[in-house]
Amino acid sequence: MILHQEPFWFLNTKNTSYVIRVLPNQTLQHIHYGGRVSADDFSYYNVFQDRAFSPRILMGPICTSHDIMPLEYPTFGRGDFRAPALRVEGLDGRDVNELQYKSYEIISGKVHIPRMPQLDVNVDDVQTLAITLEDVIVGYEVVLYYSVFENEDIITRTVEIRNTSNGAIRINNIASLSVDFESADFDLVSLEGSWARERHICRRALCQGTTSLESRRGSSSHQMNPFLALADKHTSEHWGGVYGFSLIYSADFKALAEVSQYGDTRVQIGLNPETFSWKLEKGDSFMAPEAIMTYSDKGFNGMSHNFHQACRNHLGKSADPSVKHPLVINNWEATYFNMSDEIIKQFLDDCKGLGIDTFVLDDGWFGRRCDDSSSLGDWFVDENKFSNGLHNVVNHCRENGMEFGIWFEPEMISRNSRLFEEHPDWCIHCEGVEPIPSRNQLVLDMSREEVVDHIFEQMAKIIREYNVSYIKWDFNRNLTDNGSSTLPADRQKEHTHRFVMGVYSLMQRLNDTFPEVFFEGCSGGGGRFDFGILYYMPQIWTSDDTDAVERLKIQYGTSMVYPTSAMVAHVSACPNHQTGRSVSFDTRGEVAQMCNYGYELHVGKLATEEKEKIKGQVARHRALDELVQKGTFYRLNSPFDSILCAWELVSEDKEKAYVCATFQTAMPNAKTFYVKAQGLDADCKYYVKPLGITLGGDTLMQAGLPVRMPDAVEYACLAFDLEKVSE
Ligand code: GLA
């Protein structure tokens, strides 16, 4: 997998190669990333030239410049004017750096990044290349780690800075990866959006200059996902070359693609240098968050499959085979803050016999919380609403055959709360200035251990007392007033990273103490949908937008990087609370079926016919659940390009598949679409329900399934279940 053939290293996965070389002047040069190549002598590649306004360096007889070379981990100030991956300031305050090769090591398995989410460390079939470089100006060491996951066609990367110099240094920028491509003939694909319309797919052509995707919100954000893809111009969902980059991190990031004057492209992803800087004392070290990179020549679906496999096979709780995703009903859109013993008991009575696994009691059960203006941080039961703690509710829940789940927003504090009265300094704030509220709330300084301890104790008490089996973990605002009253002046810019490490430590501690509790991530819906959270929590509430039609784009876009096993979708009431749209109960159910499934409505207020449908939908989800958890997901028809959105799940053994096609609008006299399945056994026959016919896998993939918009039905959804038949 990792081959060292001096001066080259070849990092090979099943279908890809990544090639690096060390030059005679000890600079690390990037040679190739993409499809598999032989371990050839690549000395012929990237021949150097001398160019105007690109400062010269002499390498033996050759005159060249860092500015035109593909570099493996570029720095600032020694002739490369493109984006540096690393900027480290020495004792004298200067940040001119030059990295030279020192040594390398091939490790079996991976190195552990302390206090951070990451892909499995102890993996038998993974090797890690660790290349140590030394900065010849400031005097620190850099270790570049490349972990090669052969089967998933992914390589993870992290970077360690070891302060081997004589005094304190400061890291002002540290990308987790940097890759230089010799061409700029790419489209850049990102997942952008906003609250209630997360992760819409955006594709644009690259041109000279820098395209930067980032968050400085203290979370990975609704607005931009920590992901970037570079695709060949003609790459489609099913074919063509595409590179994908993603950061395993839940706070500020920056991803960029820079096209230089010579038409090459540099890609980086890592911590956002605008809100990050780290002082490193002599002898200390720092490790960057882990990044995942992948290449596929099988289009965007191929790239997505690699990300999905990495998550399902190797990412903490998301890869834990003992985890079962329960089918839930949540009371949020049914009752909002209006809850009491009576209201919730009635709600539960209405759910009786529907086959739902878990009831989740959402926001409003604690402190004196009657609206969003108070009580965050007071994680004790509101006795005005619930007379006997939550015992009545929990007992009633169990009597109705459901487990009990509950909502927390652990990182927050309301000004109007007991916690604030006791610890007014625990919120993130600038001394002497009123912190900026958002949704009437402030953020706890999770970089402080005593804050994390206090929240842990409160949560643990509730979990134990009520035998909680499920926690929905929310995060309903972004960070302002950045910094901490406990950090010295020269460490204030470490705060966002320390904040998220504090959050991770709380998540880890809860996972360790309550391994049987199931955690669902949430941040005003999908405002923190990233691999960092998915390490601790196997699923995330995809969006606060529960409108089935809007969900088509959200779920389709989210699947670019994240597997269906990570997404949650609920059937909610109509007219929809976010968009005001009315969509049939059937379409609402079917659109949600590709995710971890559930309900978020007042069953008692449904028409009898709709209530009856729930049982059928629940049974349907039981039948589809294995596909959701383990199946291969294909995007078939894009809702960003067409009125028809279609996707498919295929079982690992190709015995079963599920195709779902939904119209985003009404169109009079619309044509019939033929949706072509993917990933089936071409040589086998499949029975197609509800068409009642048997067709070859080849026919289904080449000719397709007929999808005709029924007359006078808006937002129609057609689902096909395919089952292999033996002839
Ligand atoms: C966020 C979540 C919702 C709900 C509310 C409660 O917006 O995304 O699902 O839990 O908070 O306040």
Side-chain angles (χ1 to χ4, degrees), residues 241-311:
V242 53
Y243 298 88
F245 305 90
S246 174
L247 193 66
I248 307 180
Y249 194 58
S250 312
D252 298 354
F253 69 91
K254 178 168 182 171
L256 65 84
E258 179 181 9
V259 175
S260 83
Q261 55 184 331
Y262 302 119
D264 47 54
T265 308
R266 172 167 290 173
V267 166
Q268 291 172 354
I269 192 165
L271 292 164
N272 191 335
E274 269 188 52
T275 54
F276 171 83
S277 149
W278 198 272
K279 182 178 173 191
L280 208 57
E281 295 291 351
K282 186 178 164 186
D284 282 356
S285 67
F286 178 87
M287 283 182 91
E290 187 166 76
I292 305 178
M293 59 183 194
T294 188
Y295 170 76
S296 172
D297 63 5
K298 301 200 167 45
F300 293 108
N301 275 313
M303 173 199 72
S304 302
H305 295 162
N306 299 345
F307 279 128
H308 297 175
Q309 288 306 102
C311 176

Side-chain angles (χ1 to χ4, degrees), residues 459-471:
M459 291 177 78
K461 188 158 181 276
I462 295 285
I463 296 170
R464 289 195 182 103
E465 186 163 354
Y466 300 109
N467 205 1
V468 171
S469 68
Y470 188 110
I471 287 177

Side-chain angles (χ1 to χ4, degrees), residues 65-261:
S65 168
H66 284 142
D67 202 31
I68 63 161
M69 278 190 219
L71 293 171
E72 194 48 38
Y73 202 64
T75 54
F76 175 75
R78 297 285 288 165
D80 181 2
F81 295 112
R82 295 164 294 175
L86 183 73
R87 275 183 99 139
V88 174
E89 201 178 293
L91 273 179
D92 60 359
R94 294 175 67 167
D95 63 355
V96 174
N97 300 169
E98 183 169 339
L99 301 178
Q100 292 198 350
Y101 173 73
K102 195 173 169 198
S103 62
Y104 84 99
E105 197 186 345
I106 294 172
I107 304 161
S108 76
K110 282 179 71 210
V111 288
H112 177 250
I113 309 174
R115 302 181 65 197
M116 293 290 287
Q118 57 208 291
L119 295 197
D120 282 343
V121 172
N122 301 313
V123 219
D124 291 342
D125 52 356
V126 171
Q127 280 186 322
T128 297
L129 170 65
I131 298 184
T132 303
L133 309 167
E134 76 183 327
D135 176 82
V136 291
I137 300 171
V138 180
Y140 58 89
E141 277 182 5
V142 177
V143 190
L144 305 177
Y145 295 100
Y146 305 80
S147 297
V148 181
F149 289 72
E150 199 168 349
N151 291 327
E152 291 84 4
D153 275 332
I154 62 159
I155 297 176
T156 63
R157 300 198 31 194
T158 182
V159 177
E160 182 179 0
I161 308 295
R162 296 177 181 156
N163 187 359
T164 43
S165 78
N166 290 328
I169 59 174
R170 174 174 296 284
I171 306 166
N172 286 327
N173 182 21
I174 178 168
S176 295
L177 66 77
S178 186
V179 184
D180 281 354
F181 295 94
E182 46 75 32
S183 139
D185 217 5
F186 293 117
D187 283 342
L188 183 150
V189 177
S190 58
L191 294 176
E192 58 169 44
S194 181
W195 174 79
R197 51 182 164 82
E198 298 90 336
R199 288 170 299 287
H200 284 205
I201 298 171
C202 174
R203 181 174 186 161
R204 65 194 103 166
L206 283 181
C207 51
Q208 189 171 333
T210 305
T211 309
S212 131
L213 317 172
E214 53 193 303
S215 165
R216 52 182 87 79
R217 293 174 167 269
S219 86
S220 51
S221 90
H222 297 91
Q223 288 74 10
M224 195 59 76
N225 200 256
F227 155 77
L228 179 155
L230 286 190
D232 292 340
K233 292 285 178 191
H234 301 293
T235 294
S236 72
E237 286 290 11
H238 310 304
W239 58 81
V242 53
Y243 298 88
F245 305 90
S246 174
L247 193 66
I248 307 180
Y249 194 58
S250 312
D252 298 354
F253 69 91
K254 178 168 182 171
L256 65 84
E258 179 181 9
V259 175
S260 83
Q261 55 184 331

Side-chain angles (χ1 to χ4, degrees), residues 195 332 337 362-363 369 407 439 472 474 476 522-525 541 544 600:
W195 174 79
W332 177 241
F337 295 104
D362 212 281
D363 190 357
R369 181 117 162 140
W407 181 96
R439 207 198 188 204
K472 178 177 171 190
D474 218 330
N476 276 323
C522 178
S523 169
W541 181 224
D544 269 350
E600 182 137 351

Side-chain angles (χ1 to χ4, degrees), residues 18-38:
Y18 189 97
V19 187
I20 309 168
R21 105 159 122 187
V22 59
L23 291 167
N25 73 344
Q26 309 305 313
T27 300
L28 214 54
Q29 186 196 19
H30 181 73
I31 298 284
H32 166 78
Y33 185 35
R36 273 292 283 252
V37 295
S38 303

Side-chain angles (χ1 to χ4, degrees), residues 699-718:
T699 305
L700 287 160
M701 292 192 287
Q702 302 302 334
L705 286 157
V707 176
R708 199 179 84 74
M709 187 187 291
D711 291 333
V713 179
E714 207 175 18
Y715 315 125
C717 178
L718 281 79

Side-chain angles (χ1 to χ4, degrees), residues 538-555:
Q539 67 182 35
I540 299 174
W541 181 224
T542 319
S543 176
D544 269 350
D545 197 330
T546 55
D547 172 20
V549 176
E550 181 57 38
R551 274 296 185 115
L552 296 172
K553 284 185 177 148
I554 297 172
Q555 290 167 200

